[in-house]
Amino acid sequence: MTDFSFRLIATDGAARAGEIATAHGAVRTPAFMPVGTQAAVKGVHPDDVRAAGADIVLANTYHLMLRPGAERVAALGGLHPFMRWPHPVITDSGGFQVMSLAVLRRVTEAGVTFRSHLDGAMVELTPERAVEVQILLGADIAMQLDECVKLPADTQEIERAMQLSLRWAERCKRAFESAPPDRALFGIVQGGDDQSLREASVRALIDIGFHGYALGGLAVGESRDVMRKVVAATAPALPAERPRYLMGVGTPADLLAAVARGIDMFDCVLPTRNGRHGLAFTRFGPINIKNAHHAEDPRPLDAESRCPAARDFSRAYLHHLFKAGEALGGTLLSVVNLYYYQDLMAGARAAIAAGRFADYAAETERQWTAKQDFSTP
Amino acid sequence: MTDFSFRLIATDGAARAGEIATAHGAVRTPAFMPVGTQAAVKGVHPDDVRAAGADIVLANTYHLMLRPGAERVAALGGLHPFMRWPHPVITDSGGFQVMSLAVLRRVTEAGVTFRSHLDGAMVELTPERAVEVQILLGADIAMQLDECVKLPADTQEIERAMQLSLRWAERCKRAFESAPPDRALFGIVQGGDDQSLREASVRALIDIGFHGYALGGLAVGESRDVMRKVVAATAPALPAERPRYLMGVGTPADLLAAVARGIDMFDCVLPTRNGRHGLAFTRFGPINIKNAHHAEDPRPLDAESRCPAARDFSRAYLHHLFKAGEALGGTLLSVVNLYYYQDLMAGARAAIAAGRFADYAAETERQWTAKQDFSTP
């Protein structure tokens, strides 16, 4: 059994390329982790998620603890066989979804209590239970329970949640001592847009000691500028020998900007959610396939793509599938987007190794905005 | 370019095994043709439809003439490149959907006029236009326009529609003279549950002369018994050297019963529609995966299946996908069912060739009803 470890392979400015080892295989970083909220990447077969190039997927503790239940998943062997994904799995702590989805939630020192949106039952999620659930789910990487505050917020409120998250971090660390030795636990940096709070959070988390560190409380309402500033100021304070994970981010441009600032891991629903809504990410920028000017366009989304769905179907056909409400369209565009995100990260890894990440990012962004004439096929 | 032809390979009682040749490849009969209503087999990638074993898919003229439009599909090269299905394609005439879906329809000698359910425009579908649309769509096999009467109905009404369908059959045949020479046109036998009308319809259609003959106006409200009686009495009257197609049928048991009576081709939405609703067809009979007793069952639907989805996912996981509203569940069960239908037909073909179709049908049906204990995994 391989224990969790992280190896830095190359750096290029602040950008890092590396590899995480887990009992279920390697994760090449910078890594994009597709989101399988309810133990399924929405509409996409796990073989296609893998073929796209994903090394690891994220599943949501909040959803899975309510349905089908952590104990049931454990009885079925954990998420890996359940989802038929024998590769690495990361779970979040449930905290973020409790804050954003649950009604009647109450945060106390002990944890958070909320009403299940499924059956109305009151559920308690403590730091200890969050860890227990993630161990039951079989996650290779578990996250501490934290309280995530929507921005903008008062400094006082941000600090209160940050301090509470630190006390929960300690309790999660303790609870995690009973985990199988190959599992990893990440701490989550809070502190909103206040840099001194962010740095205090980092210092305290390093004192507790985690396998990796995440930046939480971003992509929660702040401007892109604020998000990038916080990442730029906080990442350097994190230990170089541990992976750094920016939670819930983001667009292709967000990913490149964060990689440049030293982030190693990302998760986001954008590629699949946008795919279901008809937005394809391509080397030439986003394409809204529902636009009328695609209706007669025989060209594929990208004839040079590694993704069969991007090469083999015409824009006219994809347009038709969305107009006709055929779910196949959302599946195909989700796959296109998963390939795009993975190829973006593969390109970043190669560029960092070659010491030309800044050029890669600049070329990639230039191609997005180069004027494409989609109106005359 | 291969012209349309049909070759009988073996007979076993009334059951027949054969092969249709088309410009886009062969269709082994008895054949089940998955339905791609709007130029997509709902939720299923065309590669999976092919891998399941389908030689041919059916697309619906009514839907496609309204959206994206026959002229647009023709400009894009026809249905084969549009759907990315380079294999044989059959289209219906649009008549059945006009009768069942369109509002404000009016049937006259000239044809049928109806209001589009998409934009409210009045659309006219004549026998000539039905043929033209199907030629534009690029169908290897086109169907005559007919009027299909729901059963039960008065004999007078059945006869009126049958005679009108015959006059339309003649006009379709004439219109089809301009079709590329590799295309085929099938006539449709009407006459409801009245055997003398059915036989009159058959005789008149043979006089006109078609590449194949379909039994229409069944699976439209009559009992299973009536349907089987009409098939049994009508099929022998059809020319042995032409393929026989029972439209819109049906369950696995319906298929075996009709093959035994000399039918060569079938289309039905059941495998995909039932799949989307959580019903899996398996060698052990249908399984309603939403039933609570599957929630903790680690077994696959059928560990011996040729279908990866039937082998690789636990019933517990499939159950979870349906409970959680994850579309992947409907896709996986649709694929399972398409494989099942194709394997059922492959088994029928082999059994006919071996002169043991009656045994095959009896064994298959016995296995469906053999008591399975699904409650104790």
Side-chain angles (χ1 to χ4, degrees):
Chain A
M1 186 144 51
T2 310
D3 279 356
F4 180 94
S5 67
F6 176 65
R7 180 168 70 90
L8 212 49
I9 294 171
T11 59
D12 179 11
R16 302 142 49 95
E19 188 167 289
I20 297 169
T22 81
H24 289 93
V27 179
R28 296 159 294 174
T29 65
F32 179 78
M33 310 188 285
V35 177
T37 304
Q38 303 188 101
V41 176
K42 283 200 187 303
V44 182
H45 193 290
D47 288 350
D48 291 323
V49 178
R50 185 64 174 176
D55 288 337
I56 178 171
V57 298
L58 178 140
N60 285 124
T61 287
Y62 171 80
H63 289 281
L64 294 171
M65 70 186 286
L66 298 181
R67 180 177 58 200
E71 279 73 12
R72 177 170 292 168
V73 172
L76 291 160
L79 280 175
H80 300 84
F82 187 62
M83 299 176 65
R84 232 215 50 173
W85 177 263
H87 317 294
V89 170
I90 184 171
T91 48
D92 63 6
S93 70
F96 183 81
Q97 261 86 20
V98 170
M99 308 303 169
S100 55
L101 296 181
V103 288
L104 284 182
R105 65 173 178 279
R106 199 165 59 92
V107 178
T108 66
E109 187 64 30
V112 53
T113 311
F114 62 95
R115 192 178 288 286
S116 161
H117 70 280
L118 296 179
D119 63 2
M122 289 308 296
V123 181
E124 197 185 12
L125 187 63
T126 62
E128 292 76 16
R129 177 63 181 160
V131 165
E132 182 185 26
V133 165
Q134 293 179 85
I135 292 172
L136 286 166
L137 293 174
D140 298 286
I141 303 175
M143 302 301 298
Q144 71 151 100
L145 187 66
D146 62 339
E147 186 187 355
C148 178
V149 173
K150 281 217 172 71
L151 296 178
D154 292 345
T155 307
Q156 209 175 2
E157 169 65 1
I158 294 173
E159 176 163 18
R160 184 201 56 72
M162 183 274 275
Q163 295 290 1
L164 178 64
S165 296
L166 285 177
R167 293 191 297 277
W168 286 359
E170 281 209 59
R171 287 165 58 191
C172 285
K173 173 79 185 283
R174 238 179 354 257
F176 202 74
E177 282 163 12
S178 65
D182 56 323
R183 312 284 183 92
L185 179 67
F186 280 24
I188 303 179
V189 180
Q190 289 291 352
D193 49 3
D194 185 307
Q195 200 47 43
S196 65
L197 291 181
R198 285 276 170 188
E199 281 164 24
S201 176
V202 167
R203 282 191 303 272
L205 288 170
I206 292 173
D207 279 350
I208 302 169
F210 289 93
H211 295 93
Y213 297 87
L215 297 190
L218 291 171
V220 290
E222 81 285 5
S223 72
R224 176 153 294 169
D225 222 44
V226 166
M227 192 245 284
R228 292 187 182 181
K229 266 187 201 146
V230 171
V231 172
T234 310
L238 293 168
E241 70 280 10
R242 302 286 185 196
R244 304 161 176 172
Y245 164 25
L246 178 55
M247 302 180 81
V249 174
T251 64
D254 289 337
L255 266 55
L256 291 181
V259 167
R261 289 159 179 77
I263 298 296
D264 307 306
M265 301 162 69
F266 304 91
D267 78 285
C268 193
V269 296
L270 267 191
T272 43
R273 178 177 293 164
N274 281 357
R276 289 196 304 284
H277 291 104
L279 195 88
F281 291 104
T282 77
R283 291 184 298 144
F284 316 115
I287 295 177
N288 185 343
I289 202 67
K290 292 194 278 192
N291 282 348
H293 65 264
H294 299 301
E296 302 189 322
D297 191 337
R299 294 176 305 164
L301 287 170
D302 181 354
E304 311 285 309
S305 174
R306 192 175 57 83
C307 171
R311 284 194 317 261
D312 295 348
F313 294 92
S314 67
R315 297 179 192 194
Y317 182 65
L318 297 170
H319 173 85
H320 165 69
L321 291 178
F322 277 91
K323 286 296 171 185
E326 287 286 341
L328 181 61
T331 292
L332 291 175
L333 257 55
S334 295
V335 170
V336 165
N337 291 345
L338 290 175
Y339 272 80
Y340 183 73
Y341 268 65
Q342 295 301 337
D343 287 351
L344 185 70
M345 293 292 98
R349 292 191 296 267
I352 293 166
R356 54 178 300 280
F357 179 74
D359 285 352
Y360 170 74
E363 283 158 20
T364 302
E365 301 208 355
R366 197 157 46 238
Q367 203 165 17
W368 290 336
T369 50
K371 196 72 194 159
Q372 288 271 316
D373 185 7
F374 291 135
S375 57
T376 52
Chain B
M1 186 144 52
T2 310
D3 279 357
F4 180 94
S5 66
F6 176 65
R7 179 168 72 89
L8 254 186
I9 294 171
T11 59
D12 179 11
R16 302 143 48 96
E19 189 168 287
I20 297 170
T22 81
H24 289 94
V27 179
R28 297 160 293 174
T29 65
F32 179 77
M33 310 188 285
V35 177
T37 304
Q38 303 188 99
V41 177
K42 283 199 187 304
V44 182
H45 193 290
D47 288 351
D48 291 323
V49 177
R50 186 65 174 177
D55 289 336
I56 178 171
V57 297
L58 178 139
N60 285 123
T61 287
Y62 171 80
H63 289 281
L64 294 172
M65 70 185 285
L66 298 181
R67 182 178 55 200
E71 279 73 10
R72 177 169 292 170
V73 172
L76 291 160
L79 280 174
H80 300 85
F82 187 63
M83 299 175 66
R84 234 215 51 172
W85 178 263
H87 317 294
V89 170
I90 183 171
T91 48
D92 63 6
S93 69
F96 183 80
Q97 261 87 20
V98 170
M99 309 302 168
S100 54
L101 296 181
V103 288
L104 284 182
R105 66 172 177 278
R106 201 165 58 93
V107 178
T108 66
E109 186 65 30
V112 52
T113 310
F114 62 95
R115 192 179 286 289
S116 161
H117 69 281
L118 296 180
D119 63 2
M122 290 308 295
V123 180
E124 197 185 13
L125 188 63
T126 62
E128 291 77 15
R129 175 65 180 159
V131 164
E132 182 185 24
V133 165
Q134 294 179 84
I135 293 173
L136 285 166
L137 293 174
D140 298 286
I141 303 176
M143 303 300 298
Q144 71 150 103
L145 186 68
D146 62 337
E147 186 187 355
C148 177
V149 173
K150 281 218 170 72
L151 295 178
D154 292 345
T155 307
Q156 209 175 1
E157 169 66 0
I158 294 174
E159 178 165 16
R160 184 201 55 73
M162 184 273 275
Q163 296 290 1
L164 178 64
S165 296
L166 285 177
R167 293 191 297 277
W168 287 358
E170 282 209 60
R171 287 167 57 191
C172 285
K173 174 78 186 286
R174 236 179 354 255
F176 202 73
E177 283 164 11
S178 65
D182 56 324
R183 312 283 183 92
L185 178 68
F186 280 25
I188 304 179
V189 179
Q190 291 290 352
D193 50 0
D194 185 307
Q195 200 47 42
S196 65
L197 291 180
R198 286 274 171 190
E199 281 164 24
S201 175
V202 167
R203 281 192 303 272
L205 288 170
I206 292 173
D207 280 349
I208 301 170
F210 289 93
H211 295 93
Y213 297 87
L215 297 189
L218 291 171
V220 291
E222 81 284 5
S223 72
R224 175 152 296 170
D225 222 45
V226 166
M227 192 245 286
R228 292 187 182 181
K229 265 186 203 147
V230 171
V231 172
T234 310
L238 293 167
E241 71 281 9
R242 302 287 185 194
R244 304 160 177 173
Y245 164 26
L246 178 56
M247 301 179 81
V249 174
T251 65
D254 290 337
L255 265 56
L256 291 181
V259 167
R261 288 158 179 78
I263 298 295
D264 307 306
M265 301 162 69
F266 304 91
D267 78 285
C268 192
V269 296
L270 267 191
T272 44
R273 178 177 294 164
N274 281 357
R276 288 197 305 283
H277 290 104
L279 195 88
F281 291 105
T282 77
R283 291 184 297 145
F284 316 114
I287 295 177
N288 184 344
I289 202 67
K290 292 194 278 193
N291 282 348
H293 65 264
H294 299 302
E296 302 188 324
D297 191 338
R299 295 176 304 164
L301 286 169
D302 181 354
E304 311 285 309
S305 174
R306 190 175 58 83
C307 172
R311 285 194 316 261
D312 296 348
F313 295 92
S314 68
R315 298 179 191 195
Y317 182 63
L318 296 170
H319 173 85
H320 165 69
L321 292 178
F322 277 91
K323 286 295 172 185
E326 287 286 340
L328 181 62
T331 292
L332 291 174
L333 257 56
S334 294
V335 170
V336 165
N337 291 345
L338 289 175
Y339 272 80
Y340 183 73
Y341 268 65
Q342 294 301 337
D343 287 352
L344 185 70
M345 293 293 97
R349 291 191 296 265
I352 293 165
R356 54 179 300 280
F357 179 74
D359 285 353
Y360 169 75
E363 284 159 20
T364 301
E365 302 206 356
R366 196 157 48 238
Q367 203 165 18
W368 290 336
T369 50
K371 196 70 195 159
Q372 287 271 317
D373 183 6
F374 291 135
S375 58
T376 53

